Amino acid sequence: MSHQSSPRTVRGGLVLLDATSNAVRRVISLQYNPDTVTRTFQIRGAGGDAGARAEALRLTGPPQQSITLDAEFDATDQLEFPEAHPTVVEVGLRAQLAVLETMVYPSADALRGSAALAAAGALEIAPTPAPLTLFVWSKDHITPVRITEFSITEESFDARLNPTRAKVHLGMRVSTVNDVGTASGAGSLAMTHHQRLEQLAARQAPAGIDTLGIGALP
């Protein structure tokens, strides 16, 4: 008797790209997909007052979108097979959490380089460019983002106080062409996401006005 296998669950996560070359620097896969992902939109409109009534219905660009989620990490399953997971045995979840933490730190080399320039009398030191961060939530939802909120709650520890269970809260602001233009790599990805939204919307069968129970508009 043949058994139909269940579909493989795709994990959400983050991809860090080099800010100059767009080469992939790191892929961060969430251990467990969160139960909820909250997306909040602030509409960019021209507004309207008595002197500019024609502008009241105009959109000045894509909305400012914020994404928040809470992800869980648990080392229990890995600790059951210590030979296969020596890093988890030694430091618990610290290595996994450190990968997330380094997203919001400039590199140590960059800090040393800035300090050396300052010591040499440089009048202006450019801020360290952060990697381009992509939030990946299926093949139909890939957006460039900037991390705006980040917190870790460690909930369980081993005998050496290494965390073995933790929750991570992430807040992200989606980058749009209003933020990054259209010529950059981030701008190209933002436009691709925008176009994909329109393609998905076009697949939804349009509803008739009669579905609202009003027959016709006044």
Side-chain angles (χ1 to χ4, degrees):
M1 179 183 296
S2 63
H3 296 276
Q4 185 176 0
S5 60
S6 58
R8 182 176 69 90
T9 300
V10 176
R11 293 186 185 181
L14 300 163
V15 178
L16 307 185
L17 305 180
D18 185 88
T20 303
S21 67
N22 281 347
V24 175
R25 289 173 51 175
R26 186 181 289 275
V27 175
I28 302 172
S29 176
L30 299 179
Q31 184 178 2
Y32 304 107
N33 288 331
D35 292 329
T36 60
V37 174
T38 301
R39 298 191 291 135
T40 305
F41 299 83
Q42 291 184 332
I43 311 306
R44 285 189 171 113
D49 53 33
R53 292 177 181 173
E55 302 297 315
L57 301 180
R58 295 184 185 273
L59 296 175
T60 60
Q64 180 178 307
Q65 180 184 168
S66 299
I67 300 174
T68 57
L69 61 86
D70 294 293
E72 296 185 359
F73 294 83
D74 194 325
T76 301
D77 291 343
Q78 295 159 303
L79 290 173
E80 288 184 2
F81 303 95
E83 296 82 5
H85 303 97
T87 298
V88 176
V89 172
E90 182 182 355
V91 298
L93 292 174
R94 291 200 186 281
Q96 287 177 263
L97 297 176
V99 169
L100 292 166
E101 288 184 63
T102 54
M103 290 193 305
V104 294
Y105 277 80
S107 70
D109 286 343
L111 291 176
R112 282 192 288 265
S114 296
L117 288 173
L123 298 179
E124 185 174 352
I125 301 172
T128 303
L132 171 58
T133 304
L134 305 182
F135 174 60
V136 179
W137 193 248
S138 84
K139 64 182 181 64
D140 292 318
H141 192 112
I142 301 174
T143 54
V145 297
R146 180 168 57 85
I147 305 298
T148 56
E149 300 175 49
F150 179 62
S151 65
I152 298 173
T153 303
E154 298 175 354
E155 298 183 324
S156 182
F157 304 87
D158 64 15
R160 289 172 289 184
L161 292 183
N162 293 312
T164 56
R165 190 170 68 245
K167 289 183 179 178
V168 173
H169 173 78
L170 276 177
M172 298 165 280
R173 175 178 168 176
V174 175
S175 299
T176 71
V177 294
N178 275 38
D179 306 310
V180 295
T182 57
S184 65
S188 175
L189 289 162
M191 280 301 299
T192 298
H193 175 64
H194 191 152
Q195 292 167 333
R196 184 57 180 154
L197 283 178
E198 294 177 344
Q199 292 166 0
L200 289 169
R203 297 181 61 178
Q204 175 64 34
I209 195 70
D210 57 304
T211 62
L212 302 179
I214 59 176
L217 293 174

